Amino acid sequence: MEREVIMTRAIRGAICAENTTTSILANTKTLLGTILETNSLHLSQIISITFTCTKDLDAIYPAVAARDMGLVQTSLMCVAEMDVAGAMQGLIRVQVLAEMDMPQNDVRHIYLGEAEALRPDLIKDGAS
C-alpha cells in the first residue's frame, strides 16, 4: 500500500485593519478564512500561526480571532512588525504552517485589499 506524503508548508498573507477590536478581529478572520478556503485546509491541518502587526495596531491580539474560529489546540503567536520608515501601516501579516499534500509551489498565499501591493509576485491568476 502506497503511503500519502504529508509535508509542512508555509502560507503567507496580509490584510489591513483599523485599530479597533472589531476591525482587527473581523479582518483577521477574513484573512484566515480565505487562506483556509483557497488552500482547501481543515483546522486540524494547521500546526502553528505567527501573526505580526504594525505598531499602530494594539487594540487586540489577532490570535483571539483564530481562537474564535476554533483554533484552540494550535500554537499561535503575535509579534510586533519591524517598524520601517515609510512602510504600510495598519497591517496584519500571517504565516501559517500546515500539514499539506501539495508542493510548496501550489500553495496559495493570500494578500487582501491594500495588502495586495506587498507581494504582487505571489498573486496567481490575477487574484490573491
Side-chain angles (χ1 to χ4, degrees):
M1 176 195 287
E2 205 170 303
R3 195 171 149 192
E4 185 178 6
V5 177
I6 303 292
M7 296 187 240
T8 302
R9 297 295 181 213
I11 307 167
R12 297 284 316 273
I15 195 166
C16 291
E18 295 176 12
N19 191 31
T20 66
T21 298
T22 302
S23 181
I24 292 170
L25 293 177
N27 284 291
T28 301
K29 287 177 183 179
T30 295
L31 178 60
L32 290 177
T34 304
I35 287 171
L36 290 168
E37 183 179 332
T38 304
N39 288 285
S40 301
L41 280 175
H42 185 272
L43 296 181
S44 65
Q45 292 174 267
I46 299 184
I47 298 166
S48 68
I49 303 174
T50 302
F51 298 93
T52 68
C53 291
T54 50
K55 71 177 184 173
D56 57 320
L57 296 181
D58 62 4
I60 194 166
Y61 295 108
V64 172
R67 295 276 182 244
D68 289 348
M69 292 174 71
L71 289 159
V72 295
Q73 298 298 319
T74 303
S75 174
L76 304 175
M77 182 167 289
C78 299
V79 297
E81 181 82 21
M82 195 170 127
D83 190 23
V84 176
M88 186 180 293
Q89 295 297 298
L91 187 65
I92 301 167
R93 293 184 202 246
V94 65
Q95 178 175 276
V96 176
L97 296 181
E99 294 178 333
M100 302 173 75
D101 62 355
M102 69 171 66
Q104 183 69 42
N105 236 14
D106 292 340
V107 169
R108 297 288 305 268
H109 304 280
I110 304 298
Y111 290 81
L112 300 174
E114 294 173 51
E116 285 183 1
L118 296 172
R119 293 300 304 267
D121 59 310
L122 293 180
I123 297 173
K124 296 182 181 184
D125 303 320
S128 60

